Amino acid sequence: MKRQYYILFIIIFICIAFVSIKKYHFVVPKSWPKPTYDFSQNPLTEDKIELGRVLFYDPILSKNNTISCASCHSQYTAFTHVDHALSHGIDDRIGNRNSPALMNLAWHNLFMWDGAINHLDLQALSPMSNPNEMGEKIEHVIIKLQKSKSYSFLFYKAFNDSLITGEHTLKAISQFMLTLISSNSKYDSVMQNLTQFTNQEKNGYRLFKQNCSSCHTEPLFTNVKFENNGLSLDTLLKDYGRMKVTKNPNDSLKFKVPSLRNIEFSYPYMHDGRFKKIGEVINHYTSGIINSKTLSNQLQKKIVLSSNEKVDLTAFLLTLTDKTFLFNPKYSYFKK
Amino acid sequence: MRIISCFIVVLFFFNLTIVIGQKNKFDTLNFIPIYGSIPLKIDDAFYAFKDKDSIQFDELKFYISEVELINGNKLVWKEPNSYHLIDASNLKSLQIILNVPQNISFQKVKFSLGVDSIVNVSGVRGGDLDPTNGMYWAWQSGYINFKLEGKSNLCKTKNNEFSFHLGGYQYPFYVHKSVVLDFKKNSNTEIIIDLKKMMDYVDFAQQNHIMSPSNQAVLMYEKALEIFSNK
């Protein structure tokens, strides 16, 4: 008899514990593919997302307490860095590349321009550590967090454990980034028959499907693969992209195909930020392609666009702007 | 009364088997770092190196995983979720406590140096595998399987430093192999790690930094496998 009471008590206790966890329902936008992120290993909850958001905006993550993730990934530019071609910050390597926009990351399986990072949860490690200075380690960031009272509270709330670990820190940051979904542009409304393209945009869409969508594939506007889109090698930076990771010459000059969502705001463009305007990018595709051994097949044949067609294509690209994403208060700076 | 005495007899035998079992119960792997014949210390101690030069170690850390016990050709026990971070400067980590059932007999201990490729591609883990333990590359995904840092007058580098971070989970630079050691007695087991066996191979004039998966790392890793032996 007594045992039954115990069991009942335990069951009630477990139920209460579950109710108090505010699960977050991850919504896959209509007609999108299944996300590649394995949520079962890191189930989203409101409290973890909130903790991740606080961390994302907190310079405590950098060695000298001056730079946060948001310094290089600002919401109003689709979480990229605007004013500089090459994001500069805490270390050499980061200074060699333009920061990519952060959105719809649950559909990506490799990260960085060269795919050097194989899981979103491990992404935050790189800006947090400084490989140039031997001895200064990510462990110290964790120690700084452990010393903070407000963080022990937030970690307790999120993980039911006030012990702050690297695992929990990284998982929380990942959770926040997973919620950064942009799927509410004019393009999306048109696809759902809620509104119409103008004639110009319609023609631009046609040209886009003809010339661009093999790599910038809908609905993510990236095929999340590595391609060589014919950029000339910057002789100063000597960045060979994917080859750096695989050491395979067939991967030379291949970079991760960036999404074109919110492209209006995520300038400058390309891995090294060499172009400032969409027009320059389109001119690259029509007349700037450098032929090399690894140039992607789709670009072997010259793309020919009249100046009117270029305008139309640009008009279409501007329909990918998602203001509800860029100004969503849920993604913005959050005070502890 | 009869029942009680019966009970006592049973209890006695039960106790006896526990005592006997404990006698040859095996439950610990003890790692003992040495340099040649001298105990290895991670501090300012200098060791003679190739006759006239010297070497000093600042850090020695590595992963031991997939611990298995083998009898003949048969696997008799396998540690579940087997990942251990060994740090020569942390005495506690040099002892791996294993939860082996009693009276298992075996002649070989098998373990892998490093972590397997699955763990390398499946996101962030906690405990010994927490990527903030200093055994994870930041700029490029992947665990460092074996990390050795130190100084030698032969290194023409800043502060004469050398560092070997060996790892890699993708071909052709996959470094993950196992070591098999013979043990005659089923008692607690001492595993010697003799760094000299590895250092004698290194030509510091040519090679003092390995910081990412590469051909060099693969070759050096092979040497790292040789440091393990039993008495």
Side-chain angles (χ1 to χ4, degrees):
Chain A
M1 196 59 206
K2 227 171 169 183
R3 233 178 101 192
Q4 281 169 338
Y5 275 121
Y6 267 124
I7 291 171
L8 196 73
F9 184 73
I10 288 170
I11 289 174
I12 291 172
F13 186 78
I14 289 172
C15 289
I16 292 170
F18 266 108
V19 170
S20 67
I21 297 172
K22 281 170 276 162
K23 281 226 180 88
Y24 178 89
H25 188 56
F26 185 88
V27 183
V28 176
K30 236 181 165 167
S31 74
W32 280 33
K34 243 182 74 188
T36 46
Y37 189 85
D38 182 0
F39 290 97
S40 69
Q41 297 301 309
N42 187 18
L44 301 187
T45 69
E46 297 281 357
D47 289 330
K48 289 178 191 168
I49 293 166
E50 186 177 298
L51 169 61
R53 177 175 168 195
V54 174
L55 289 164
F56 191 88
Y57 283 97
D58 195 339
I60 195 172
L61 295 186
S62 70
K63 190 179 158 202
N64 45 13
N65 294 324
T66 53
I67 297 168
S68 73
C69 308
S71 316
C72 298
H73 301 284
S74 145
Q75 175 177 12
Y76 308 112
T77 60
F79 292 96
T80 175
H81 201 279
V82 252
D83 44 343
H84 314 281
L86 303 177
S87 307
H88 42 150
I90 30 189
D91 115 284
D92 256 5
R93 161 124 184 230
I94 219 162
N96 290 343
R97 300 237 176 104
N98 178 17
S99 58
L102 306 183
M103 60 198 156
N104 307 332
L105 292 169
W107 286 267
H108 293 213
N109 47 5
L110 291 169
F111 302 87
M112 301 297 215
W113 286 103
D114 53 12
I117 307 283
N118 67 22
H119 199 288
L120 184 61
D121 296 0
L122 292 156
Q123 172 66 44
L125 269 181
S126 35
M128 282 157 70
S129 14
N130 186 339
N132 289 333
E133 281 187 43
M134 314 291 295
E136 170 63 7
K137 306 265 164 58
I138 178 95
E139 294 95 297
H140 299 177
V141 173
I142 304 299
I143 291 168
K144 274 197 285 183
L145 290 174
Q146 284 165 347
K147 285 188 182 144
S148 146
K149 275 218 179 72
S150 54
Y151 273 114
S152 34
F153 174 71
L154 288 173
F155 272 82
Y156 184 76
K157 232 173 105 191
F159 290 97
N160 233 331
D161 186 354
S162 54
L163 178 69
I164 296 174
T165 65
E167 180 194 7
H168 288 169
T169 307
L170 295 171
K171 282 188 164 165
I173 295 176
S174 214
Q175 294 219 348
F176 172 65
M177 291 197 287
L178 287 163
T179 66
L180 304 177
I181 294 184
S182 177
S183 64
N184 209 4
S185 62
K186 178 170 182 188
Y187 158 84
D188 297 293
S189 306
V190 173
M191 291 302 124
Q192 291 159 34
N193 288 323
L194 300 173
T195 177
Q196 301 266 300
F197 278 140
T198 64
N199 282 339
Q200 203 180 31
E201 290 162 354
K202 201 183 268 167
N203 194 38
Y205 184 37
R206 185 184 60 82
L207 294 165
F208 181 81
K209 286 200 283 196
Q210 224 168 59
N211 298 299
C212 321
S213 66
S214 57
C215 296
H216 300 286
T217 314
E218 300 164 66
L220 296 166
F221 288 87
T222 165
N223 57 5
V224 215
K225 291 199 176 113
F226 298 87
E227 306 276 358
N228 173 352
N229 71 338
L231 295 174
S232 59
L233 177 72
D234 184 318
T235 47
L236 212 70
L237 299 172
K238 291 216 171 57
D239 192 341
Y240 291 93
R242 183 75 180 141
M243 187 173 85
K244 200 168 179 178
V245 175
T246 62
K247 308 216 164 65
N248 180 349
N250 294 333
D251 288 331
S252 170
L253 298 172
K254 290 189 180 169
F255 291 85
K256 185 175 163 188
V257 176
S259 170
L260 300 186
R261 287 182 173 273
N262 299 301
I263 196 73
E264 179 181 4
F265 290 95
S266 62
Y267 57 88
Y269 305 117
M270 305 301 171
H271 68 269
D272 53 6
R274 66 177 70 184
F275 301 130
K276 289 185 183 57
K277 299 207 172 71
I278 293 179
E280 290 173 67
V281 173
I282 294 181
N283 286 337
H284 160 72
Y285 282 105
T286 56
S287 49
I289 300 279
I290 305 286
N291 210 328
S292 65
K293 265 198 214 115
T294 57
L295 178 66
S296 294
N297 278 340
Q298 300 95 307
L299 295 171
Q300 301 278 354
K301 216 180 90 208
K302 196 171 161 62
I303 296 178
V304 183
L305 296 173
S306 69
S307 53
N308 276 341
E309 285 175 326
K310 287 180 184 174
V311 175
D312 294 354
L313 182 54
T314 308
F316 167 70
L317 292 175
L318 298 184
T319 69
L320 299 176
T321 296
D322 176 358
K323 288 265 166 63
T324 62
F325 175 73
L326 299 169
F327 300 101
N328 189 338
K330 276 194 166 162
Y331 301 152
S332 57
Y333 176 69
F334 185 71
K335 266 181 98 167
K336 282 182 257 176
Chain B
M1 193 56 205
R2 222 145 131 222
I3 295 172
I4 289 177
S5 58
C6 205
F7 186 70
I8 288 172
V9 170
V10 167
L11 210 68
F12 176 76
F13 275 109
F14 188 66
N15 252 341
L16 202 69
T17 52
I18 288 180
V19 172
I20 293 169
Q22 262 171 359
K23 226 177 172 180
N24 55 26
K25 181 166 160 58
F26 159 83
D27 62 5
T28 322
L29 289 178
N30 289 301
F31 288 87
I32 302 176
I34 62 168
Y35 188 80
S37 51
I38 318 162
L40 180 90
K41 291 223 175 68
I42 300 296
D43 56 11
D44 297 335
F46 276 91
Y47 300 87
F49 181 58
K50 296 187 177 164
D51 302 336
K52 55 186 191 307
D53 299 298
S54 71
I55 192 167
Q56 176 201 337
F57 301 100
D58 299 325
E59 191 163 1
L60 169 62
K61 281 163 109 179
F62 54 86
Y63 279 106
I64 290 295
S65 67
E66 296 164 347
V67 178
E68 293 177 359
L69 303 181
I70 291 167
N71 192 352
N73 288 324
K74 246 180 67 197
L75 173 70
V76 288
W77 183 80
K78 190 176 169 170
E79 188 185 26
N81 206 12
S82 179
Y83 300 102
H84 304 275
L85 177 55
I86 312 287
D87 177 350
S89 66
N90 173 358
L91 279 181
K92 229 181 97 193
S93 80
L94 289 170
Q95 250 195 3
I96 298 183
I97 312 275
L98 300 170
N99 199 2
V100 182
Q102 283 179 24
N103 290 327
I104 274 205
S105 67
F106 63 94
Q107 293 111 34
K108 292 188 180 108
V109 174
K110 183 175 173 186
F111 56 83
S112 301
L113 179 60
V115 295
D116 54 280
S117 62
I118 308 274
V119 168
N120 270 290
V121 298
S122 50
V124 47
R125 309 255 183 140
D128 278 5
L129 290 173
D130 191 313
T132 59
N133 286 332
M135 292 295 278
Y136 198 93
W137 274 302
W139 283 109
Q140 178 167 335
S141 288
Y143 282 93
I144 299 168
N145 286 339
F146 183 97
K147 185 174 188 175
L148 180 65
E149 294 181 359
K151 300 183 188 74
S152 167
N153 59 318
L154 286 174
C155 298
K156 302 282 171 278
T157 54
K158 193 178 125 206
N159 303 327
N160 299 340
E161 286 167 348
F162 65 85
S163 48
F164 300 121
H165 295 187
L166 311 180
Y169 64 94
Q170 277 171 318
Y171 287 104
F173 309 121
Y174 186 33
V175 295
H176 181 67
K177 286 194 174 174
S178 51
V179 174
V180 182
L181 300 176
D182 288 324
F183 286 96
K184 293 289 167 270
K185 288 187 311 228
N186 285 3
S187 59
N188 287 350
T189 314
E190 290 188 344
I191 296 177
I192 308 288
I193 16 184
D194 183 359
L195 278 188
K196 189 165 183 297
K197 291 185 181 162
M198 183 176 172
M199 290 298 103
D200 283 349
Y201 156 83
V202 179
D203 177 3
F204 278 125
Q206 303 289 327
Q207 189 167 47
N208 34 55
H209 276 300
I210 299 180
M211 304 299 277
S212 63
S214 63
N215 235 338
Q216 276 197 334
V218 173
L219 295 172
M220 187 71 86
Y221 176 85
E222 292 292 333
K223 296 293 155 193
L225 289 170
E226 289 172 15
I227 65 176
F228 299 96
S229 65
N230 53 336
K231 273 201 175 143

